[in-house]
Amino acid sequence: MYCFVISVMELHENSNVKDSHQKKNRKFGHLVFGPAAGEGLPNRLQCKGIKALNKTHMSSISNISGTGGGGDGVAFVTVFTVYNSSVDGRSSDLSIVGKVSYNKVERSMAVLNTFINFIQMTMPESNTIILTDPASRLPLKRNRVTVYPIQGEYSRNKLMLQRIRSYIAFLEEKLEEQSWKRGQISHFIFTDSDIAVVGDVGQMFSKYENFHLALTFRNNKQQPLNSGFIAVRGTTDGISRAKILLEEVLNVYSSKYMKASRMLGDQLALAWVIKSHASFDAKEFSRHEPFLEEIGGASVLFLPCSVYNWTPPEGAGQFHGMPLDVKVVHFKGSRKRLMLESWNFLNSSSSSHDLSDMLCLILSSGRTKYDF
C-alpha cells in the first residue's frame, strides 16, 4: 500500500485552490464510472456502462482445466508478508468496501484471499504457494494453498530485493526435489498478489513449447519489463536456467539499483540484464505480439502486458481499451479497492453479471475514484 503525503505549508501556499484540491483528491467509498476505453476498436472489449456488448475469449469458465497443457500442473507463487500495523480500529486506518470494514492487516489479507479466489475460479486445478517470512504466521488455511516459509529480510525497504531472493531459494529447492522426485511436472508462475487471473495462463506452456521462462513487456523505455509476472517451465532445464537468470538480476539489483530497493529496483535490474545482451534489440519492446529470445543461455519468451499483465486505467493499455484475450489484470499500487470490488461484483448473490461484465466494471473505473 502507498501513502501520499502533502505538507501543511504546501496546503496553504495557495488558499484559492484549497477547496478544489480537496475535492479533486477526495477518496470515494464507492466506484464512480466513466467511459470505457477502446470504444469502436477491433478486438477490444466493448461496454455499455458495466454491461459487456461482446465477450472476452474466456467469458465461460466452466470448461477451464487450469493445467499447463499436456496434463502438466501449474502453481502460482507469490511473496507475501504481514507487518506489525496498528489494528486498534482507528477510523483513519479503516477502509470500507461494500459492507465490510477493514483495518490495514485485514485489507492486505482480503487482497491475498481475492488473489486466490480468482485463481481457483479460473484455473481450479492449479495450486497457490505463498512464500513468506517464517515470523508472519499467516492466518490462511485454504484448499490447494501452501504457505511456504523462506528465511530472509522482509522489511518494507527490502521486500522487492527479498522477493527475488525468495524466488531463487524456492527454485533451488525445486531443483533438489527434481533429483529424487519423479512424476508429473509442475510449472511455476511467479506473480504479485494483487492480480486477478481471468484466463487460463497455463496454456502458454503448451502453446509456446521452447521457452525456459517468460516475462511480460510493454512499450516503455525506462521500464519495459514488469516483474509482477514471471513464468518458469517446470523442467530441470527450465528451473535451472530461470534460477541463473534471476541470480544475475539479483547481482545487478544489489550493485546498481539499491537506491530503488523499496520500489522498481527489480524491474530496472531485470531490464538491464535483458538489454545488456548484445544480440537483444530493445526495439522489440514496441511489438504487440509474443517473441522469443536467447538471453544468457536461457530461452526467454516475451509476452505482451496488454494480455498477460494488463493494468486498469492510468496503466498500460488504458488508451486502447482491454483486449478480448486478456488473461491477467494487475491492480497495481492503490487499485486494491477495485480488485475487491470486482470480486464482490462478480459474486454478488443478486447479480447476473458474468466475467466480461466484471471486466467492464474494471475498464470503466477511474484510478483516483477507487483509491484506498
Side-chain angles (χ1 to χ4, degrees):
M1 306 295 174
Y2 303 98
C3 180
F4 298 92
V5 180
I6 184 166
S7 70
V8 174
M9 181 181 294
E10 289 174 303
L11 280 174
H12 289 279
E13 278 181 345
N14 191 342
S15 59
N16 292 330
V17 299
K18 180 179 178 181
D19 291 339
S20 61
H21 177 83
Q22 289 176 335
K23 290 178 181 178
K24 181 179 179 181
N25 289 278
R26 182 184 301 153
K27 294 182 179 180
F28 289 75
H30 58 277
L31 297 179
V32 179
F33 302 104
E39 183 177 352
L41 294 178
N43 200 31
R44 293 296 188 272
L45 183 64
Q46 303 297 312
C47 306
K48 184 177 182 179
I50 52 175
K51 190 67 179 177
L53 300 179
N54 54 359
K55 300 295 181 181
T56 65
H57 296 169
M58 301 303 293
S59 289
S60 172
I61 62 173
S62 58
N63 296 319
I64 297 176
S65 67
T67 64
D72 296 338
V74 172
F76 289 85
V77 185
T78 193
V79 171
F80 185 90
T81 191
V82 173
Y83 297 101
N84 292 326
S85 301
S86 171
V87 293
D88 61 8
R90 290 179 300 170
S91 60
S92 60
D93 289 334
L94 295 179
S95 300
I96 299 175
V97 180
K99 298 180 180 180
V100 181
S101 178
Y102 302 99
N103 61 40
K104 288 184 178 180
V105 173
E106 292 167 342
R107 187 172 69 194
S108 294
M109 290 304 303
V111 169
L112 180 63
N113 275 291
T114 302
F115 163 73
I116 297 168
N117 291 342
F118 274 110
I119 291 171
Q120 294 188 344
M121 176 192 71
T122 311
M123 298 178 63
E125 295 183 23
S126 63
N127 297 303
T128 304
I129 300 170
I130 314 296
L131 308 183
T132 189
D133 184 351
S136 282
R137 298 179 182 177
L138 295 180
L140 188 69
K141 293 183 179 180
R142 298 190 55 171
N143 293 333
R144 305 190 77 95
V145 177
T146 301
V147 176
Y148 201 106
I150 292 180
Q151 200 67 43
E153 174 56 77
Y154 289 82
S155 67
R156 292 181 187 275
N157 289 335
K158 298 289 182 65
L159 187 58
M160 292 298 98
L161 194 65
Q162 179 58 43
R163 179 168 71 168
I164 301 178
R165 288 174 174 156
S166 294
Y167 288 174
I168 293 169
F170 176 81
L171 291 174
E172 286 175 345
E173 294 192 22
K174 293 306 168 185
L175 273 179
E176 291 182 9
E177 287 182 14
Q178 294 238 346
S179 66
W180 55 268
K181 191 175 181 180
R182 296 290 184 269
Q184 191 179 58
I185 291 175
S186 179
H187 306 299
F188 302 108
I189 301 176
F190 296 88
T191 75
D192 290 347
S193 58
D194 56 357
I195 70 162
V197 177
V198 296
D200 187 354
V201 294
Q203 293 176 347
M204 78 173 79
F205 294 103
S206 55
K207 183 177 181 180
Y208 307 102
E209 298 181 348
N210 299 316
F211 74 92
H212 296 118
L213 74 156
L215 304 171
T216 56
F217 72 94
R218 58 205 171 189
N219 190 18
N220 183 312
K221 290 183 179 180
Q222 299 300 319
Q223 299 170 42
L225 300 170
N226 183 272
S227 57
F229 185 100
I230 301 174
V232 175
R233 188 174 296 279
T235 60
T236 299
D237 206 26
I239 295 172
S240 177
R241 292 179 187 276
K243 172 180 167 289
I244 291 170
L245 188 141
L246 287 176
E247 287 173 335
E248 187 177 355
V249 172
L250 179 61
N251 289 334
V252 172
Y253 195 163
S254 301
S255 62
K256 293 180 177 293
Y257 297 110
M258 285 304 292
K259 289 183 178 180
S261 61
R262 182 172 180 133
M263 186 178 177
L264 301 180
D266 57 336
Q267 296 186 161
L268 296 172
L270 183 61
W272 192 95
V273 168
I274 298 300
K275 292 193 291 186
S276 67
H277 286 268
S279 61
F280 187 82
D281 184 357
K283 291 180 181 179
E284 295 283 1
F285 291 138
S286 63
R287 297 174 58 166
H288 299 288
E289 300 295 330
F291 63 96
L292 199 66
E293 291 285 341
E294 290 293 321
I295 306 292
S299 179
V300 181
L301 174 65
F302 292 88
L303 298 166
C305 280
S306 59
V307 176
Y308 290 88
N309 204 338
W310 187 86
T311 302
E314 289 212 307
Q318 61 160 322
F319 301 113
H320 303 293
M322 181 183 290
L324 288 175
D325 55 351
V326 65
K327 299 182 185 299
V328 174
V329 178
H330 193 167
F331 297 90
K332 300 174 188 174
S334 53
R335 296 165 172 84
K336 308 300 188 285
R337 172 187 291 278
L338 181 57
M339 182 178 181
L340 303 185
E341 293 270 14
S342 300
W343 177 254
N344 291 344
F345 172 83
L346 186 62
N347 287 275
S348 172
S349 59
S350 61
S351 172
S352 61
H353 299 295
D354 64 9
L355 185 60
S356 291
D357 294 335
M358 185 203 73
L359 295 176
C360 277
L361 177 141
I362 294 171
L363 187 61
S364 302
S365 301
R367 176 176 178 179
T368 59
K369 303 184 179 92
Y370 55 71
D371 282 358
F372 272 127

